Amino acid sequence: MKVLVGVKRVVDANIKVRVKSDGSGVDTANVKMAMNPFCEIAVEQAVRMKEAGTVTEIVAVSVGAAQCQETLRTALAMGADRAILVETDQEVQPLAVAKVIKALCDKEKPGLVIMGKQAIDDDCNQTGQMLAALLGWPQACFVSKIEVNGDTAQITREIDGGLEKLSSKMPLVMTTDLRLNEPRYVTLPNIMKAKKKPLENVKPADLGVDVAPRLATLKVAEPPQRTAGVKVDDVAALVNKLKNEARVI
């Protein structure tokens, strides 16, 4: 079975982001970038499935600027077999990414698509669901465990009330949750090997997809500063402040 894994290049999770002075977005100039943490989990799951003999080929896919090649090389170093970069300098939104990956699925014919449940930059949590709708495939979101037997997948996913168990026919679109696995450390020898693995570069137009943004960002602003807390003398004073100042009761 061939697996397609989506990966996204985002600001490193350990970096404190700064808003541009004009409020047009987040400042990414001279900022360390890395693979989206949920996408790392997706790549790790594909690699583990290949090690278990369930998967025969892993294709990592990214949509974005030329610098996304670095992120794809990381996926190759983790264990992906080859990579495809759909290069564009435009801002790509979830629907555009879903359309691009749908076109690649039509070409590559994978049996499974694994994606992170969301990206830590825009937090949209939409691409996997949109892709499943475009393909007409079943979807399993927030997956914390998956077992594939032939053309059937047994899935455990996290919901508000606990865990939900599903059975689904393949092909399938799944999005990964934090508790699915812990991504491996990328070693230097694997980084060197990744440089020799094939990385294909295509344009959205080659796939017949228009990635022009449908949404416009009006303004980005820092969250308001939190005010200092105060001490109260007794319960009556606390209730009074909650009722008359905070207005939460």
Side-chain angles (χ1 to χ4, degrees):
M1 178 176 68
K2 182 189 294 186
V3 173
L4 213 65
V5 184
V7 298
K8 185 176 184 181
R9 181 175 183 262
V10 299
V11 175
D12 189 281
N14 299 310
I15 300 296
K16 180 177 172 57
V17 296
R18 299 184 303 273
V19 175
K20 292 180 179 177
S21 58
D22 60 0
S24 61
V26 172
D27 187 4
T28 58
N30 301 316
V31 173
K32 182 183 178 183
M33 307 294 281
M35 187 189 300
N36 178 48
F38 290 102
C39 297
E40 284 187 315
I41 295 170
V43 175
E44 175 66 25
Q45 184 60 32
V47 173
R48 291 189 183 190
M49 293 173 74
K50 184 179 180 183
E51 290 172 345
T54 307
V55 169
T56 56
E57 185 182 21
I58 303 169
V59 183
V61 176
S62 190
V63 185
Q67 292 88 337
C68 291
Q69 290 187 35
E70 301 168 10
T71 309
L72 288 171
R73 290 294 179 194
T74 301
L76 292 171
M78 290 178 69
D81 298 295
R82 58 189 176 92
I84 302 173
L85 171 62
V86 182
E87 186 179 344
T88 175
D89 291 326
Q90 295 192 68
E91 175 198 358
V92 283
Q93 296 172 348
L95 181 58
V97 176
K99 288 180 177 178
V100 167
I101 297 180
K102 194 266 184 186
L104 289 174
C105 286
D106 292 340
K107 176 183 175 183
E108 295 286 341
K109 307 295 184 187
L112 176 66
V113 177
I114 310 179
M115 311 181 76
K117 70 172 185 177
Q118 64 196 81
I120 62 171
D121 52 1
D122 56 22
D123 248 6
C124 281
N125 181 18
Q126 296 173 338
T127 308
Q129 294 89 326
M130 289 177 170
L131 175 61
L134 291 172
L135 288 168
W137 290 5
Q139 60 176 299
C141 302
F142 319 125
V143 174
S144 58
K145 185 179 180 182
I146 181 171
E147 295 179 1
V148 177
N149 298 308
D151 63 346
T152 304
Q154 303 298 326
I155 297 150
T156 302
R157 61 186 297 266
E158 302 199 1
I159 58 175
D160 291 340
L163 300 176
E164 180 181 48
K165 294 190 175 181
L166 304 173
S167 178
S168 174
K169 291 291 185 182
M170 310 289 280
L172 169 74
V173 176
M174 68 172 268
T175 65
T176 60
D177 208 340
L178 282 172
R179 279 154 287 280
L180 181 61
N181 61 55
E182 184 174 342
R184 67 194 62 196
Y185 178 76
V186 180
T187 62
L188 182 59
N190 286 337
I191 292 173
M192 300 306 293
K193 290 176 185 176
K195 293 181 179 181
K196 298 180 180 180
K197 291 183 178 180
L199 195 160
E200 183 182 357
N201 194 315
V202 299
K203 302 291 185 183
D206 299 334
L207 302 171
V209 179
D210 177 15
V211 296
R214 265 64 173 178
L215 304 173
T217 301
L218 300 180
K219 185 179 180 182
V220 177
E222 295 270 7
Q225 291 264 347
R226 293 182 63 179
T227 56
V230 295
K231 290 184 178 181
V232 295
D233 296 326
D234 51 37
V235 174
L238 173 61
V239 172
N240 179 61
K241 286 185 175 292
L242 291 173
K243 183 175 181 180
N244 299 315
E245 294 184 18
R247 300 186 184 277
V248 295
I249 59 172

